Amino acid sequence: MCLWLQVTTFRESIQCREVCGLNASDRCAFVRTNPDCRSDGGYLDYLEGIFCHFPARLLPLAITLYAFWLLYLFLILGVTAAKFFCPNLSAISTTLKLSHNVAPGAPALRPLDTSPHGVTFLAFGNGAPDIFSALVAFSDPRTAGLAFGALFGAGVLVTTVVAGGIAILRPFTAASRPFLRDIIFYMAAVLLIFTALYCGRVTLAWALGYLGFYAFYVVTVVLCTWIYQRQRRRSLVCSMPATPEILSDSEEERMSSNTNSYDYGEEYRPLLLYPETTAQILVQALNPLDYRKWRTKPMYWRVLKVFKLPVEFLLLLTVPVMDPDKEDRNWKRPLNCLHLVISPLFLTLTLQSGAYGVYEIGGLFPVWAVVVIAGTALAAVTFFATSNSEPPKFHWLFAFLGFLTSALWINAAATEVVNILRSLGVVFRLSNTVLGLTLLAWGNSIGDVFSDFTLARQGYPRMAFSACFGGIIFNMLVGVGLGCLLQISRSHVEVKLEPDGLLVWILAGTLGLSLVCSLVLVPLQCFQLSRVYGCCLLLLYLTFLVVALLTEFGVIHLKTV
């Protein structure tokens, strides 16, 4: 008995990544019995899949399948955030009649200033994958390095690759006041996170301080925008009436879109309109493919769309979307009634990885069955009390239901991303930090990279450049603050941070260096961002990536005395 206790204690002290040093016949038992190899959340046990269900000779095949699944998970995150999470956030802000200071439905980011809605709801919508990945990573002390690696890595990527790429694509003059304000706040945020890493813990006061500092940033942005708009109104009043008003880039874009736009969809509408049946409405609402767009798009778009179709169909089936800009507010009676059954069921089966859904009330009746019965009754009442042509007065409630359902979709996908990255780290013996600053940061930021580069090509480089900072400030402060706050509320103890040696300090130092360089060099160039400056930023990121990988593999290390 004493010998068994000694063996068990020894086995628990071994880290999971030591499994690759064992014989192939012992790896499965090691993964199943070692507590360090267990995942607290998620639906799939990736480590058990690699070492128990695949023979050792098929390990490359298993890793390849995991890599494709990881890419598909990033695709799920992007589609859910762009087509379901953000539209429902916009509908909620419109329903609550929020001002443009906090509403995501306001006009796009102004080239002359960072719009305040970009640092609240819109920042939450754009940064949803980053935030949920951080929340999932902070829920387990073993994966906290993933969160720091992803947040710092995304910061380095955005402030170097994205900002540099915008300057290379279209050199421009940055807005001085918003640039200085955002970069100073971001440097302060990095300093606060750096202090937590140095202390090795995050207390309740620190977590609330991160959230409070972001609230102070939002207030500052709102106040600066209000002062700017007031000064602009005064200058317009004092200007001569004969002087033509110079329109901003965003205003010119809206005027040109209004004058040069033509709804080609009118040509495809039938001359005689027949009322659609309930079955036709349901089939059309569940169809994620627009055949007219399919015929006009290039081949790469069609290939990507084929991969998106299963995800978009499941999202349409489970997530209601309310659109206040449409005449019918996207009311689809048969599908919305179906949502009243499927969405609550999905919420029940995804909350805490389905732990609440399978719980039996009184040991007899499962919770998911109660949800199905209640949802079916509510759907039947709604179906017979409404019509196909006119949305009901309570239709705005579907925006909140869609928001919650899409949030849990993102959370479920983020949980699987974190688990699969941790499994790949065990197989390749990589730290969570390097996985976070590479794969997780790249996957979560790829959408922002393409959208910002598209804005720059369209002639709005200042709009794209201003979007680089507001979102990453939100991701860093709210991601760390809220993630640690939730973990503290669950465990009732402060969050312990164990940085992966020198790599974390290189990561934080590189981010701080890029911000300091921008703070010094951009004003010295009179806020002119040239292609040379953009190339220097790209070179900085490549140097950082090489140094980080050399540090991870032990080529660069600190000498021990």
Side-chain angles (χ1 to χ4, degrees):
M1 183 67 179
C2 296
L3 178 62
W4 181 84
L5 288 175
Q6 290 177 358
V7 172
T8 303
T9 305
F10 175 73
R11 174 169 291 181
E12 290 182 356
S13 64
I14 301 178
Q15 291 185 350
C16 187
R17 63 184 59 192
E18 301 297 328
V19 64
C20 292
L22 302 176
N23 295 327
S25 58
D26 299 330
R27 293 175 181 177
C28 181
F30 178 86
V31 168
R32 286 176 172 173
T33 57
N34 193 337
D36 190 52
C37 297
R38 298 172 188 169
S39 301
D40 295 333
Y43 297 93
L44 300 176
D45 193 333
Y46 296 100
L47 285 173
E48 184 175 339
I50 290 177
F51 296 109
C52 297
H53 301 293
F54 282 90
R57 66 180 183 276
L58 295 181
L59 183 61
L61 175 62
I63 294 173
T64 303
L65 294 176
Y66 279 21
F68 280 113
W69 175 233
L70 180 64
L71 293 176
Y72 203 70
L73 287 172
F74 283 129
L75 182 67
I76 294 174
L77 287 172
V79 171
T80 308
K83 293 190 175 183
F84 295 87
F85 189 78
C86 289
N88 279 312
L89 270 180
S90 178
I92 290 173
S93 66
T94 303
T95 302
L96 298 179
K97 297 180 179 179
L98 297 176
S99 66
H100 287 175
N101 287 344
V102 292
L109 292 172
R110 275 184 284 270
L112 297 180
D113 201 347
T114 303
S115 176
H117 79 269
V119 296
T120 50
F121 275 148
L122 185 59
F124 183 36
N126 292 339
D130 305 83
I131 295 300
F132 281 100
S133 298
L135 296 182
V136 173
F138 275 118
S139 64
D140 189 345
R142 297 170 298 179
T143 56
L146 269 175
F148 281 107
L151 293 174
F152 279 107
V156 176
L157 179 71
V158 170
T159 56
T160 55
V161 175
V162 178
I166 293 170
I168 293 173
L169 289 173
R170 191 174 289 268
F172 66 100
T173 302
S176 58
R177 289 178 300 176
F179 171 79
L180 294 175
R181 179 198 64 210
D182 290 342
I183 201 168
I184 289 173
F185 266 98
Y186 193 28
M187 290 177 64
V190 172
L191 180 61
L192 290 175
I193 306 299
F194 185 86
T195 304
L197 286 173
Y198 180 78
C199 296
R201 66 182 186 276
V202 177
T203 62
L204 178 61
W206 274 95
L208 293 175
Y210 294 146
L211 299 177
F213 186 71
Y214 184 75
F216 175 65
Y217 169 67
V218 173
V219 172
T220 304
V221 172
V222 173
L223 184 61
C224 291
T225 305
W226 178 77
I227 295 174
Y228 168 77
Q229 292 176 345
R230 186 177 179 182
Q231 292 176 347
R232 187 180 181 185
R233 283 195 298 266
R234 286 183 178 180
S235 62
L236 291 176
V237 171
C238 297
S239 62
M240 296 179 62
T243 304
E245 182 181 356
I246 300 176
L247 298 178
S248 65
D249 293 344
S250 58
E251 291 169 342
E252 290 178 356
E253 179 191 19
R254 289 197 294 272
M255 289 187 65
S256 62
S257 61
N258 291 333
T259 56
N260 299 326
S261 62
Y262 176 74
D263 187 8
Y264 291 94
E266 297 286 344
E267 298 180 358
Y268 294 90
R269 294 181 182 178
L271 296 177
L272 297 177
L273 298 176
Y274 296 96
E276 292 180 317
T277 64
T278 300
Q280 289 175 336
I281 294 175
L282 179 61
V283 172
Q284 185 179 1
L286 286 175
N287 183 17
L289 183 61
D290 188 343
Y291 297 103
R292 288 174 294 177
K293 185 182 292 185
W294 175 271
R295 290 194 296 266
T296 59
K297 291 294 183 179
M299 182 57 65
Y300 75 88
W301 185 92
R302 297 183 186 185
V303 173
L304 184 61
K305 187 66 177 180
V306 169
F307 288 102
K308 286 183 179 180
L309 285 177
V311 179
E312 291 180 347
F313 175 78
L314 292 176
L315 287 167
L316 288 172
L317 188 63
T318 56
V319 184
V321 178
M322 178 186 172
D323 190 352
D325 297 330
K326 291 185 178 180
E327 185 178 354
D328 62 351
R329 291 180 290 178
N330 203 34
W331 167 251
K332 310 295 181 184
R333 184 176 70 143
L335 180 58
N336 288 137
C337 292
L338 196 60
H339 285 149
L340 293 176
V341 181
I342 298 179
S343 295
L345 178 63
F346 180 82
L347 292 173
T348 305
L349 295 179
T350 53
L351 196 62
Q352 290 294 322
S353 300
Y356 296 135
V358 297
Y359 177 77
E360 295 182 350
I361 301 175
L364 298 174
F365 212 63
V367 173
W368 66 264
V370 176
V371 172
V372 170
I373 294 173
T376 303
L378 183 60
V381 172
T382 303
F383 184 82
F384 291 109
T386 58
S387 63
N388 291 333
S389 57
E390 184 178 356
K393 295 182 179 179
F394 56 83
H395 185 218
W396 57 274
L397 291 173
F398 283 87
F400 290 88
L401 180 61
F403 168 75
L404 291 176
T405 311
S406 57
L408 282 183
W409 261 97
I410 295 175
N411 182 72
T415 302
E416 300 303 316
V417 167
V418 170
N419 288 341
I420 198 171
L421 285 178
R422 180 172 179 268
S423 301
L424 293 177
V426 169
V427 172
F428 293 106
R429 297 188 179 184
L430 298 175
S431 65
N432 289 326
T433 302
V434 77
L435 289 171
L437 69 91
T438 53
L439 296 179
L440 189 55
W442 295 341
N444 288 338
S445 302
I446 191 67
D448 297 331
V449 172
F450 282 114
S451 61
D452 289 339
F453 284 176
T454 302
L455 280 174
R457 289 195 201 98
Q458 292 175 350
Y460 302 98
R462 279 192 283 183
M463 187 187 302
F465 189 75
S466 63
C468 291
F469 291 94
I472 53 178
I473 295 175
F474 175 86
N475 294 344
M476 179 163 291
L477 290 174
V478 178
V480 176
L482 188 59
C484 293
L485 183 63
L486 293 177
Q487 179 62 17
I488 291 173
S489 64
R490 284 192 292 261
S491 60
H492 303 289
V493 293
E494 61 185 20
V495 177
K496 298 291 185 181
L497 304 178
E498 298 180 1
D500 293 325
L502 182 61
L503 184 59
V504 173
W505 307 117
I506 292 177
L507 182 57
T510 304
L511 180 56
L513 179 62
S514 67
L515 294 176
V516 171
C517 290
S518 296
L519 181 62
V520 174
L521 296 179
V522 173
L524 289 178
Q525 301 176 85
C526 298
F527 297 93
Q528 297 276 347
L529 274 72
S530 62
R531 288 189 173 90
V532 175
Y533 174 75
C535 292
C536 291
L537 290 179
L538 294 180
L539 182 61
L540 176 61
Y541 184 77
L542 292 176
T543 304
F544 152 73
L545 204 58
V546 171
V547 172
L549 293 177
L550 291 178
T551 304
E552 173 67 19
F553 294 114
V555 178
I556 299 177
H557 56 85
L558 293 175
K559 292 183 178 180
T560 56
V561 180

